[in-house]
Structures are given as C-alpha cells and as structure tokens.
Amino acid sequence: MKKNHLIEKAKEVSRKAYAPYSNYKVGAALLTKSGKVYTGCNIENSSYGLTNCAERTAVFKAVSEGEMEFEEMVIYANSPHLPTPCGACRQVLSEFGPELKIMIVSSKEQLVTSISELLPLAFKL
Ligand code: THU
C-alpha cells in the first residue's frame, strides 16, 4: 500500500464529514494488516457531545467488518494545524495494539508517530 494512496483516501473521506457546527472536517484512513482500507469522517450532532470523530468512525467500520489487526492510520484535516487525535480516539486506537503507525497530515505539514507515542500507559484491563 503506497503512503500517498492512504493520504488520498483520508482527504477524500474528509469531504464527506458532516460538520455543520464546527465546520472542521476530518478524514481518517485505516490500513489493515490484510491490506484493506477503512475510511471514516467526523459526524456531528445538534447534541454536540454525540459527535463521532473521524478516527473512531474508521475503527468502528473496520471492527464491525471483522478486522482488528491494523498497520497504519492517516488522519487528515484541511487546516494549517496538525489534526492530532483527541484523547478518546487515542484510547480507542490503543485497544488494538501499541504498534499502530499514525501519520497526521495538515495542509502545511505532516507528522509520523505511533499510538504508543501519542498515548503512553494507555488504560488496559
Ligand atoms: N474531531 C475528529 O474528527 N477527530 C479528533 O480526533 C478530534 C476532533 C472532530 C470532532 C468535531 O466534529 C470536530 O473535529 C471539531 O471538534
């Protein structure tokens, strides 16, 4: 899987975000170890707290299709600031292993990191 392909997928799905309240559109593309890509966007709600972030949309789509082994996630927002994932999404991503690579892409820069770097000492049962 080419890195640019995953970035393109994240950009493409960010355009589908339902974000009438913040107007901040996020896209995530999750590559599984089996080579499939699951995408997700943020989906807002008039009851703000019910909003689902792009990253969790992608993870939930993948898991509900029987995929739980992940290689990499690209997170994109058309903003000058890096769309670093929120705490809730970090915890959800860490559920499936500490090795997940994460590439965060803005209109100005890119950051390559991992879930264990973004959330050391994640909660585990
Ligand atoms: N958002 C995400 O999609 N991912 C994050 O990790 C943080 C925030 C969304 C939620 C909301 O629709 C908008 O960005 C502004 O908070």
Side-chain angles (χ1 to χ4, degrees), residues 18-19 22 24 26 42-44 51-55 83-86 89:
Y18 176 71
S22 72
Y24 185 74
V26 186
N42 50 326
I43 304 167
E44 297 186 346
T51 292
N52 205 61
C53 294
E55 298 91 322
T84 50
C86 75
C89 288

Side-chain angles (χ1 to χ4, degrees), residues 11-76:
K11 279 189 183 174
E12 202 177 293
V13 72
S14 74
R15 294 183 204 113
K16 297 207 170 86
Y18 176 71
Y21 304 104
S22 72
N23 215 19
Y24 185 74
K25 296 183 167 199
V26 186
L30 181 61
L31 175 66
T32 68
K33 295 216 160 145
S34 63
K36 289 188 196 141
V37 178
Y38 291 87
T39 59
C41 59
N42 50 326
I43 304 167
E44 297 186 346
N45 191 273
S46 56
S47 176
Y48 295 168
L50 300 182
T51 292
N52 205 61
C53 294
E55 298 91 322
R56 279 177 290 143
T57 303
V59 170
F60 295 159
K61 280 172 69 179
V63 174
S64 63
E65 296 292 327
E67 296 281 347
M68 279 191 294
E69 292 188 19
F70 306 130
E71 187 72 34
E72 178 166 13
M73 174 176 268
V74 171
I75 306 164
Y76 170 83

